[in-house]
Each structure stands twice: as C-alpha cells, then as structure tokens.
Amino acid sequence: MMTTPDLQRISYQRDQVTAGIMHVGVGAFHRAHQAVYIDSLLDFSSQWGICGVNLRTEDRPLFDALKAQNGQYVLKTISPDGEVAYREIGSIIELIDASAAYQVAVSRATDPSIRIISMTVTESGYNLDDDNVLDVSAKPIIDGLASGVGSSIYTFLHAVIRARASDGAGPITFLCCDNLRDNGGKLRSGLLQYLKAAGDMESVDWMTKHVTFPCSMVDRITPRIDSRHSLDVKQRFGIDDAVTVMGESYIQWVLEDHFANGRPPFEQAGVEIVDDVEPYEDAKIRVLNGGHTILTYLAALKGHHTYDAGILDPELRAFFRAYETEEVIPAIGESPIDLEAYRDIIESRFSNQHIGDTVERICMDGVSKFPIFVLPTVKGTVNQGRIPVRSIHGIASWYVFMRHVEAGRIPFKYVDPKWNWIAPMLKRGQEVAFATEPDLWGDVPTRCPEFVSTLVNEIEALDSIFSVQSEGVAG
C-alpha cells in the first residue's frame, strides 16, 4: 500500500535571505527549475535569493497570485512510475511587476548585490532569425526603441546597463535559460544589435567591458499551471496555494562557468558546471525538443490531447523512435553523451502519463521551433547524403495541422506570434513556397531539391489522410 507523501518544508530562514539574482519571466518553468536549484543552496548561501520580474501585462494574473503568497509555493513532481513528491520553494523572495512599475525594476537591478540577471522569456522572445539577425520590425522591439520601456528583454537589459553604468554598480552576468542553441551567444548578439539600433554606443562599450553571457542547458518537463494541483495541495496539507507548479521528477541544468561578478556554488545543488555546454545543449535540443516538435502535430491531428497519449500511440511511437534513431543520432555524430541511452531516457520521460503535458502547449510557436529544434537534424542528414524522410513527415504534419487550424478543425487555439507571416503559405498551390522558405529551411531546399519534392508529396498525402478522417468524424 502506497504511503501519503510528506511535504518537504523550507529549512532556511527566508527573512535572512537577500537577492543576488534577478530573474525575468517568473513562469512555471522557472519555478520548477532554476528556483528549485537556488532553493537547495539557501541553507548555506543566503545571499543568492531571487528577485522575480514580470515584463508582460498578460502574465500579471499569475504573477499577482505568486506575489500574494510572498513568492512561496509548492512544487509537485511525478516520476514515470507514479511516485509523487511535494516540496515548498521559497527562493523567490522579491517580486516586481515591471509591466506596471518599470523603473522600480530597473532601479532594483542597480543594487550591487544583484550580480546575475537570468531570464526565461521563451524562444520567440529574442526576435532572432537563423543568422542571429534581430528583427527590428517586431512590435516589442519597435516599442522599446521608441519609448525605452516595454515587454522586450532587450529593452529591459538596455535600461539596466544604462542604470548600472550610471550608478557604478559593477559587472553583471546576463544568463539566458531558454531553449536556444548557444543561448548566451544569441542573447549577447541580440542585445548588441538592439543597443546599436538605439544608437547607444556608450552602453555597447559598457556591456563589452562589464557583462558576461554564459551558455546554459536547462531541462525539466513542466506543464502549464493547473488548478487541480492547487486543490491537491489544499486537500493533503491544508495549504492555500493558487500557483502550485507541477513537473516531472527529472531535472538537469548544465552551465558554462563564465560569470562577471561571482556566482552561487551551483555544483552543490547538482548543477553541472562545464567549460563547453554545446554538446549537452545540442543533444537536448535535437533529441528532446526536436522529438517534442516532430511528433506533436501528428498527435494533434490524431486527436490526442496529451503528449504521453501521443507517444503511447504505437504508430506515433514507432515514428518517434525511427526519427531519433535514423536521423537525429546519426546527424549529431560524435558526442560525449551516450545518445542512445539519452534517447531512451527521453522516451521514458515523454511516456509519463502522470504529467499530462498538453499537445496544445507543445504545438505553440511552430515557426520558431522548427528552425531551432528540427532544422539541425535536417541539415545533418542532408550533409550525409540522405533525404531526411522522418523529419519531412513531421514537417508535413505541422503544415497540415495549420491548415486544419484555419479550417477550425483543431479543438484548441494555436498560438504562433508569426501566424500572419506563415498563413499565406497555407493556401492551395503554396506548398512549394513553404517547402523552399529560407527562413524556415535555410539553404536545404537549394542543396537538396529532393527535400522540396518529398515534402510537397508528404503534405499532399497527409492532407488527404487527415481530411478524410475529419470528414468521417464530421459525418
């Protein structure tokens, strides 16, 4: 008989903790990941608490709910075999809503005790193309350059640089924790372009001398906030927690040791400190994120609501394993990681029926995800003289899925910031335009014409299959 899990309580004195890290984007993932590692350190390193910052008005409700609890909440984790654990997290000791009080957040960042500004603002929040060119036509960038305030991470970091330079607050580390290859390099590149677009060469000079941008690889499957978990915590422990966050039991953080002004003793909390993050992020981006992306639209078209249901579908599971084994792993090549063992771990994690990670969540931002998570495998396979047929099947499923979105056949809202850009390619007769779009597929269509013809044929085949299925359901 299973015993009722205990709640692991906070063991340190929160009122003795000071903030040494400011984190932008205090969403579910941050609270299930970085905040957990920091929480583990606070028993013996109390100067590294977190000051959480929100930049987006649409994120205010959850942010306000967290603030009402003084940043304290319960983390619930579930393993693939159903083992449940509960833990209080108290590492977020301050919260500032910059969407309502921008200068308050900027001013707080000038405190010399704040030595790291980390962020999770999603892949699309960096507005960079495959060549790391900043999209200065994106609305958050336009608004930030015009007013000096706004929801762009670059606008906020620009304001922080100016304020710290003015106050002599000392060097600082900007730490990207989003799923981007070479995320530190991309953040630095995007911010540098933003500062130049703003015509602020003084900030460019200060940044060059006083800011570092370490790369990191983060991993923990964390579904959206669900009130069921708050109810569970209330019933089990009598705690009113409106923002209980739930995630899988697995957690990983690999971090480049490149800090401008000191850092927490991360390794004591299980963070892997390395000289080069690239092999780890490459494996994670291609095997995990690529695996998520390549399968989720097929799962949606087949009517699955959660990702675990999708991968437990025998047909889709066979496709996932073939994609990983025949294209992803060979395209990566030599690695310090046992890629086949890593694939098996990922497959087990994806099959966790207790997580309930929604297909809707994973489908989001396809335009941003495919070039980052899938294109490297496509390019690697083409470089080996092979046609990436498994990748093409997944890409075609995304295209057909988007046509179903337009036709109102998908039972959830597909969120993609670049929908207006891609929608014209979904019209009949535009399949080749989609298959040759360089912003999605780089130079692959030019180097491998078979990629284009195979993708167009696969779109036609899947379009026929799933249109017939939809008509059958409708009838």
Side-chain angles (χ1 to χ4, degrees):
M1 186 175 72
M2 293 185 64
T3 58
T4 301
D6 292 329
L7 174 64
Q8 181 180 341
R9 298 279 186 174
I10 295 169
S11 56
Y12 53 86
Q13 299 298 315
R14 291 188 80 214
D15 59 3
Q16 300 299 310
V17 175
T18 56
I21 299 170
M22 176 175 281
H23 185 86
V24 181
V26 193
F29 180 76
H30 168 69
R31 295 192 297 111
H33 192 272
Q34 298 96 26
V36 178
Y37 280 103
I38 297 301
D39 190 79
S40 297
L41 293 175
L42 289 180
D43 274 325
F44 50 87
S45 189
S46 63
Q47 75 272 30
W48 290 107
I50 300 169
C51 172
V53 171
N54 172 52
L55 292 179
R56 307 197 316 159
T57 55
E58 55 266 44
D59 293 336
R60 279 184 190 172
L62 279 174
F63 190 84
D64 287 345
L66 181 62
K67 192 170 184 178
Q69 297 175 193
N70 296 317
Q72 188 170 323
Y73 58 94
V74 174
L75 167 70
K76 174 182 177 181
T77 59
I78 310 179
S79 70
D81 62 6
E83 183 179 350
V84 184
Y86 300 84
R87 174 178 172 180
E88 279 186 326
I89 305 296
S91 54
I92 303 172
I93 59 168
E94 300 177 40
L95 289 159
I96 303 172
D97 186 0
S99 72
Y102 204 82
Q103 293 307 319
V104 173
V106 173
S107 177
R108 183 69 182 89
T110 65
D111 187 329
S113 66
I114 299 292
R115 293 186 275 168
I116 297 171
I117 296 183
S118 57
M119 63 214 69
T120 41
V121 298
T122 76
E123 297 86 2
S124 60
Y126 296 91
N127 297 110
L128 295 169
D129 68 11
D130 286 346
D131 298 316
N132 285 352
V133 175
L134 180 67
D135 181 5
V136 293
S137 67
K139 189 177 186 302
I141 304 299
I142 293 172
D143 292 346
L145 290 171
S147 66
V149 299
S151 63
S152 171
I153 186 63
Y154 302 123
T155 305
F156 181 71
L157 296 180
H158 184 195
V160 169
I161 286 172
R162 294 180 64 185
R164 286 185 75 95
S166 175
D167 289 7
I172 192 162
T173 298
F174 291 163
L175 175 57
C176 177
C177 297
D178 280 299
N179 284 319
L180 295 167
R181 184 184 301 277
D182 183 33
N183 54 13
K186 280 184 165 56
L187 174 62
R188 186 183 189 282
S189 176
L191 181 55
L192 183 62
Q193 292 174 71
Y194 183 91
L195 297 179
K196 290 180 177 178
D200 188 356
M201 298 310 295
E202 289 186 6
S203 289
V204 169
D205 182 62
W206 194 90
M207 184 191 88
T208 302
K209 295 176 180 177
H210 298 96
V211 183
T212 58
F213 299 82
C215 290
S216 69
M217 189 277 274
V218 297
D219 195 4
R220 170 170 259 177
I221 296 173
T222 309
R224 289 176 176 175
I225 296 295
D226 189 321
S227 60
R228 292 178 301 168
H229 303 299
S230 294
L231 180 61
D232 178 30
V233 167
K234 173 68 173 177
Q235 291 174 338
R236 287 181 183 274
F237 308 111
I239 297 174
D240 290 313
D241 178 12
V243 291
T244 298
V245 64
M246 188 272 285
E248 63 172 336
S249 53
Y250 182 91
I251 189 170
Q252 185 181 24
W253 193 2
V254 183
L255 188 54
E256 179 187 9
D257 200 358
H258 185 48
F259 289 78
N261 193 9
R263 65 167 176 82
F266 284 119
E267 47 275 90
Q268 295 186 34
V271 179
E272 298 172 68
I273 303 296
V274 300
D275 294 328
D276 185 7
V277 174
E278 196 275 335
Y280 299 88
E281 66 185 5
D282 189 42
K284 192 254 182 173
I285 283 171
R286 297 202 204 189
V287 178
L288 186 146
N289 299 121
H292 252 161
T293 302
I294 209 72
L295 189 71
T296 192
Y297 304 98
L298 284 165
L301 288 168
K302 293 192 75 172
H304 296 298
H305 299 293
T306 59
Y307 193 86
D308 59 275
I311 203 167
L312 291 172
D313 177 317
E315 180 184 21
L316 297 189
R317 188 162 196 161
F319 166 67
F320 169 85
R321 195 163 185 88
Y323 168 71
E324 299 284 5
T325 303
E326 298 171 13
E327 294 181 7
V328 175
I329 292 176
I332 292 174
E334 291 187 13
S335 172
I337 300 161
D338 182 338
L339 294 173
E340 292 186 351
Y342 185 57
R343 173 204 59 202
D344 293 345
I345 290 171
I346 297 302
E347 188 174 348
S348 173
R349 292 168 61 198
F350 283 175
S351 305
N352 189 336
Q353 299 177 66
H354 310 283
I355 293 294
D357 201 3
T358 64
V359 168
E360 175 183 359
R361 184 190 77 85
I362 302 168
C363 279
M364 291 172 57
D365 292 350
V367 174
S368 295
K369 287 178 176 177
F370 273 90
I372 297 170
F373 301 151
V374 176
L375 183 56
T377 293
V378 171
K379 287 183 173 179
T381 305
V382 168
N383 289 344
Q384 294 170 347
R386 299 183 293 122
I387 300 172
V389 292
R390 306 295 184 182
S391 300
I392 287 170
H393 185 68
I395 293 166
S397 74
W398 174 45
Y399 186 88
V400 172
F401 164 86
M402 289 190 290
R403 280 188 168 170
H404 281 237
V405 169
E406 285 220 302
R409 293 173 174 168
I410 300 298
F412 56 81
K413 182 180 179 182
Y414 173 57
V415 178
D416 199 316
K418 295 186 178 180
W419 178 258
N420 291 338
W421 175 78
I422 202 168
M425 300 182 211
L426 305 178
K427 296 178 181 178
R428 301 294 168 181
Q430 294 301 306
E431 295 88 351
V432 172
F434 170 79
T436 57
E437 174 52 56
D439 284 347
L440 291 171
W441 318 122
D443 64 353
V444 169
T446 303
R447 294 194 295 116
C448 181
E450 295 88 350
F451 171 84
V452 178
S453 58
T454 306
L455 178 53
V456 171
N457 290 338
E458 195 70 16
I459 288 171
E460 182 179 346
L462 288 179
D463 221 355
S464 175
I465 291 170
F466 287 107
S467 291
V468 169
Q469 289 183 359
S470 296
E471 288 166 7
V473 172

Coordinates of all heavy atoms in Angstrom, one line a residue, residues 358-406:
T358 N 0.2 19.0 -22.2 CA -0.8 19.1 -23.3 C -0.2 19.2 -24.7 O 0.9 19.9 -24.8 CB -1.8 20.2 -23.1 OG1 -1.0 21.5 -23.1 CG2 -2.5 20.1 -21.8
V359 N -0.8 18.6 -25.7 CA -0.4 18.8 -27.1 C -0.5 20.3 -27.4 O 0.3 20.8 -28.2 CB -1.2 17.9 -28.0 CG1 -1.1 18.3 -29.4 CG2 -0.9 16.4 -27.7
E360 N -1.5 20.9 -26.9 CA -1.7 22.3 -27.2 C -0.5 23.2 -26.8 O -0.1 24.0 -27.6 CB -3.0 22.9 -26.4 CG -3.2 24.3 -26.5 CD -4.3 24.9 -25.7 OE1 -5.0 24.0 -25.0 OE2 -4.6 26.1 -25.7
R361 N 0.1 22.9 -25.6 CA 1.2 23.7 -25.2 C 2.4 23.4 -26.1 O 3.1 24.4 -26.5 CB 1.6 23.3 -23.7 CG 2.7 24.2 -23.2 CD 3.2 23.6 -21.8 NE 4.1 22.4 -22.0 CZ 5.4 22.5 -22.3 NH1 6.0 23.6 -22.4 NH2 6.1 21.4 -22.4
I362 N 2.6 22.2 -26.4 CA 3.8 21.8 -27.2 C 3.7 22.3 -28.7 O 4.7 22.6 -29.3 CB 4.1 20.3 -27.1 CG1 4.3 19.9 -25.6 CG2 5.4 19.9 -27.9 CD1 4.3 18.4 -25.4
C363 N 2.5 22.4 -29.1 CA 2.2 22.9 -30.5 C 2.6 24.4 -30.7 O 2.8 24.8 -31.8 CB 0.8 22.7 -30.9 SG 0.4 21.0 -31.4
M364 N 2.6 25.1 -29.6 CA 2.8 26.6 -29.7 C 4.1 26.9 -30.5 O 5.1 26.2 -30.4 CB 2.8 27.2 -28.3 CG 1.5 27.2 -27.6 SD 1.7 27.8 -25.9 CE 2.4 29.4 -26.1
D365 N 4.1 28.1 -31.2 CA 5.3 28.7 -31.7 C 6.0 27.8 -32.7 O 7.3 27.7 -32.7 CB 6.3 29.1 -30.6 CG 5.8 30.2 -29.7 OD1 4.8 30.8 -30.1 OD2 6.4 30.5 -28.7
G366 N 5.3 27.1 -33.6 CA 5.9 26.2 -34.5 C 6.9 26.9 -35.4 O 8.0 26.4 -35.8
V367 N 6.6 28.2 -35.8 CA 7.5 28.9 -36.7 C 8.9 29.1 -36.1 O 9.9 29.0 -36.7 CB 6.9 30.2 -37.1 CG1 7.9 31.1 -37.9 CG2 5.6 30.0 -38.0
S368 N 8.9 29.3 -34.8 CA 10.2 29.5 -34.1 C 10.9 28.2 -33.8 O 12.1 28.1 -33.8 CB 9.9 30.2 -32.7 OG 9.5 31.6 -33.0
K369 N 10.1 27.1 -33.5 CA 10.6 25.9 -33.1 C 11.3 25.1 -34.2 O 12.4 24.5 -33.9 CB 9.5 25.0 -32.4 CG 9.1 25.6 -31.0 CD 8.0 24.7 -30.4 CE 7.6 25.2 -29.0 NZ 6.5 24.5 -28.5
F370 N 10.7 25.0 -35.3 CA 11.3 24.1 -36.4 C 12.7 24.5 -36.8 O 13.6 23.6 -36.9 CB 10.3 24.0 -37.6 CG 9.3 22.9 -37.4 CD1 8.1 23.2 -36.8 CD2 9.6 21.6 -37.8 CE1 7.1 22.2 -36.7 CE2 8.6 20.6 -37.7 CZ 7.4 20.9 -37.1
P371 N 13.0 25.8 -37.0 CA 14.4 26.1 -37.4 C 15.4 25.8 -36.3 O 16.5 25.6 -36.5 CB 14.3 27.6 -37.7 CG 12.8 27.9 -38.0 CD 12.1 26.9 -37.2
I372 N 14.9 25.9 -35.0 CA 15.8 25.7 -33.9 C 16.0 24.2 -33.6 O 17.1 23.7 -33.4 CB 15.3 26.4 -32.7 CG1 15.3 27.9 -32.9 CG2 16.2 26.1 -31.4 CD1 14.6 28.7 -31.8
F373 N 14.9 23.5 -33.5 CA 14.9 22.1 -33.0 C 15.0 21.0 -34.0 O 15.5 19.9 -33.7 CB 13.6 21.9 -32.2 CG 13.4 22.8 -31.0 CD1 12.1 23.1 -30.5 CD2 14.5 23.4 -30.3 CE1 12.0 24.0 -29.5 CE2 14.3 24.2 -29.3 CZ 13.1 24.5 -28.8
V374 N 14.5 21.3 -35.2 CA 14.4 20.2 -36.2 C 15.4 20.5 -37.4 O 16.0 19.5 -37.9 CB 13.0 20.1 -36.8 CG1 12.9 19.1 -37.9 CG2 12.0 19.7 -35.6
L375 N 15.6 21.7 -37.8 CA 16.4 22.0 -39.0 C 17.8 21.5 -38.8 O 18.4 21.0 -39.8 CB 16.4 23.5 -39.2 CG 17.2 24.0 -40.4 CD1 16.8 23.3 -41.7 CD2 17.2 25.5 -40.6
P376 N 18.5 21.5 -37.6 CA 19.8 20.9 -37.5 C 19.9 19.5 -37.9 O 20.8 19.0 -38.5 CB 20.2 21.1 -36.0 CG 19.4 22.3 -35.6 CD 18.1 22.2 -36.3
T377 N 18.8 18.7 -37.5 CA 18.8 17.3 -37.9 C 18.6 17.2 -39.4 O 19.2 16.3 -40.1 CB 17.7 16.6 -37.2 OG1 18.0 16.5 -35.8 CG2 17.4 15.2 -37.7
V378 N 17.7 18.0 -40.0 CA 17.5 18.0 -41.5 C 18.9 18.3 -42.2 O 19.3 17.6 -43.1 CB 16.5 19.1 -41.9 CG1 16.4 19.2 -43.4 CG2 15.1 18.7 -41.3
K379 N 19.6 19.3 -41.7 CA 20.8 19.7 -42.4 C 21.9 18.6 -42.2 O 22.6 18.3 -43.1 CB 21.4 21.0 -41.8 CG 20.6 22.2 -42.2 CD 21.3 23.5 -41.6 CE 20.6 24.8 -42.1 NZ 21.2 26.0 -41.6
G380 N 21.9 18.0 -41.0 CA 22.9 17.0 -40.8 C 22.7 15.7 -41.6 O 23.6 15.1 -42.1
T381 N 21.4 15.4 -41.8 CA 21.0 14.2 -42.6 C 21.4 14.5 -44.1 O 21.9 13.7 -44.8 CB 19.5 13.9 -42.5 OG1 19.2 13.7 -41.1 CG2 19.2 12.6 -43.2
V382 N 21.0 15.7 -44.6 CA 21.4 16.1 -45.9 C 22.9 16.1 -46.2 O 23.4 15.6 -47.2 CB 20.8 17.5 -46.3 CG1 21.3 18.0 -47.6 CG2 19.2 17.4 -46.3
N383 N 23.6 16.6 -45.1 CA 25.1 16.6 -45.3 C 25.7 15.2 -45.4 O 26.8 15.0 -46.0 CB 25.7 17.3 -44.0 CG 25.4 18.8 -44.0 OD1 25.1 19.4 -45.0 ND2 25.6 19.4 -42.8
Q384 N 25.0 14.2 -44.9 CA 25.4 12.8 -45.0 C 24.9 12.2 -46.3 O 25.1 11.0 -46.5 CB 24.9 12.0 -43.8 CG 25.5 12.5 -42.5 CD 24.9 11.9 -41.3 OE1 23.8 11.3 -41.4 NE2 25.5 12.0 -40.1
G385 N 24.3 13.0 -47.2 CA 23.9 12.5 -48.5 C 22.5 11.7 -48.4 O 22.2 11.0 -49.4
R386 N 21.8 11.9 -47.4 CA 20.5 11.2 -47.2 C 19.3 12.2 -47.2 O 19.5 13.3 -46.9 CB 20.5 10.4 -46.0 CG 21.5 9.3 -45.9 CD 21.4 8.4 -44.7 NE 21.8 9.2 -43.5 CZ 21.0 9.4 -42.4 NH1 19.7 8.8 -42.5 NH2 21.3 10.0 -41.4
I387 N 18.2 11.7 -47.6 CA 16.9 12.6 -47.6 C 16.3 12.4 -46.2 O 16.1 11.2 -45.8 CB 15.9 12.2 -48.7 CG1 16.6 12.3 -50.1 CG2 14.7 13.0 -48.6 CD1 15.7 11.8 -51.2
P388 N 16.0 13.4 -45.5 CA 15.5 13.3 -44.1 C 14.0 13.0 -44.1 O 13.2 13.8 -43.7 CB 15.8 14.6 -43.5 CG 15.8 15.6 -44.6 CD 16.3 14.8 -45.8
V389 N 13.7 11.8 -44.5 CA 12.3 11.4 -44.7 C 11.4 11.5 -43.4 O 10.3 11.9 -43.4 CB 12.1 10.1 -45.3 CG1 12.7 10.1 -46.8 CG2 12.8 9.0 -44.5
R390 N 12.0 11.1 -42.3 CA 11.3 11.2 -41.0 C 11.0 12.6 -40.6 O 9.9 13.0 -40.2 CB 12.1 10.5 -39.9 CG 12.5 9.1 -40.2 CD 11.3 8.1 -40.3 NE 11.7 6.8 -40.5 CZ 10.9 5.7 -40.7 NH1 9.6 5.9 -40.7 NH2 11.4 4.5 -40.9
S391 N 12.0 13.5 -40.7 CA 11.9 14.9 -40.4 C 10.8 15.5 -41.4 O 10.0 16.3 -40.9 CB 13.2 15.6 -40.6 OG 14.2 15.2 -39.8
I392 N 10.9 15.2 -42.6 CA 9.9 15.7 -43.6 C 8.5 15.3 -43.2 O 7.5 16.1 -43.3 CB 10.3 15.2 -45.0 CG1 11.5 16.0 -45.5 CG2 9.1 15.4 -46.0 CD1 12.1 15.4 -46.8
H393 N 8.3 14.1 -42.8 CA 7.0 13.6 -42.3 C 6.4 14.5 -41.2 O 5.3 14.9 -41.2 CB 7.1 12.2 -41.9 CG 5.7 11.5 -41.6 ND1 4.8 11.3 -42.5 CD2 5.2 11.1 -40.4 CE1 3.7 10.7 -41.9 NE2 4.0 10.6 -40.6
G394 N 7.3 14.8 -40.2 CA 6.9 15.6 -39.1 C 6.6 17.1 -39.6 O 5.7 17.7 -39.1
I395 N 7.4 17.6 -40.5 CA 7.2 18.9 -41.0 C 5.9 19.0 -41.8 O 5.1 20.0 -41.6 CB 8.4 19.3 -41.9 CG1 9.7 19.5 -41.1 CG2 8.1 20.6 -42.7 CD1 10.9 19.6 -42.0
A396 N 5.6 18.0 -42.6 CA 4.4 18.0 -43.3 C 3.2 17.9 -42.4 O 2.1 18.6 -42.6 CB 4.4 16.8 -44.3
S397 N 3.3 17.2 -41.3 CA 2.2 17.2 -40.3 C 1.9 18.5 -39.7 O 0.8 18.9 -39.4 CB 2.5 16.2 -39.2 OG 3.5 16.6 -38.3
W398 N 3.0 19.3 -39.5 CA 2.8 20.7 -39.0 C 2.0 21.5 -40.0 O 1.1 22.3 -39.6 CB 4.2 21.3 -38.7 CG 4.1 22.8 -38.3 CD1 3.3 23.4 -37.4 CD2 5.0 23.8 -38.8 NE1 3.6 24.7 -37.3 CE2 4.7 25.0 -38.1 CE3 6.1 23.8 -39.7 CZ2 5.3 26.2 -38.4 CZ3 6.8 25.0 -39.9 CH2 6.4 26.2 -39.3
Y399 N 2.4 21.4 -41.2 CA 1.7 22.2 -42.3 C 0.3 21.8 -42.4 O -0.6 22.7 -42.4 CB 2.4 21.9 -43.6 CG 2.0 22.7 -44.8 CD1 2.5 24.0 -45.1 CD2 1.0 22.3 -45.6 CE1 2.1 24.8 -46.1 CE2 0.5 23.0 -46.7 CZ 1.1 24.3 -47.0 OH 0.7 25.0 -48.0
V400 N 0.0 20.5 -42.4 CA -1.4 20.1 -42.5 C -2.2 20.5 -41.2 O -3.4 20.9 -41.3 CB -1.5 18.5 -42.7 CG1 -2.9 18.0 -42.6 CG2 -0.9 18.2 -44.1
F401 N -1.5 20.4 -40.1 CA -2.1 20.8 -38.8 C -2.6 22.3 -38.9 O -3.7 22.7 -38.5 CB -1.1 20.7 -37.7 CG -1.5 21.4 -36.4 CD1 -2.3 20.9 -35.5 CD2 -0.9 22.7 -36.2 CE1 -2.6 21.6 -34.3 CE2 -1.2 23.4 -35.0 CZ -2.0 22.9 -34.1
M402 N -1.7 23.1 -39.5 CA -2.0 24.6 -39.6 C -3.2 24.8 -40.6 O -4.0 25.7 -40.4 CB -0.8 25.4 -40.0 CG 0.3 25.5 -39.0 SD 1.6 26.6 -39.3 CE 2.5 25.8 -40.7
R403 N -3.3 24.0 -41.6 CA -4.4 24.1 -42.5 C -5.7 23.7 -41.7 O -6.8 24.3 -41.9 CB -4.3 23.1 -43.7 CG -3.4 23.8 -44.8 CD -3.4 22.9 -46.0 NE -2.8 23.6 -47.1 CZ -2.5 23.1 -48.3 NH1 -2.7 21.8 -48.5 NH2 -1.9 23.8 -49.3
H404 N -5.6 22.7 -40.8 CA -6.8 22.4 -40.0 C -7.1 23.5 -39.0 O -8.3 23.7 -38.7 CB -6.5 21.0 -39.3 CG -6.6 19.8 -40.1 ND1 -7.5 18.8 -39.8 CD2 -6.1 19.5 -41.3 CE1 -7.4 17.9 -40.8 NE2 -6.6 18.3 -41.7
V405 N -6.1 24.2 -38.5 CA -6.3 25.3 -37.7 C -7.2 26.3 -38.4 O -8.2 26.8 -37.9 CB -5.0 26.0 -37.2 CG1 -5.3 27.3 -36.5 CG2 -4.3 25.0 -36.2
E406 N -6.8 26.6 -39.6 CA -7.5 27.6 -40.4 C -8.9 27.2 -40.7 O -9.9 28.0 -40.8 CB -6.8 27.9 -41.7 CG -5.6 28.7 -41.6 CD -5.4 29.7 -42.7 OE1 -5.4 29.3 -43.9 OE2 -5.4 31.0 -42.4

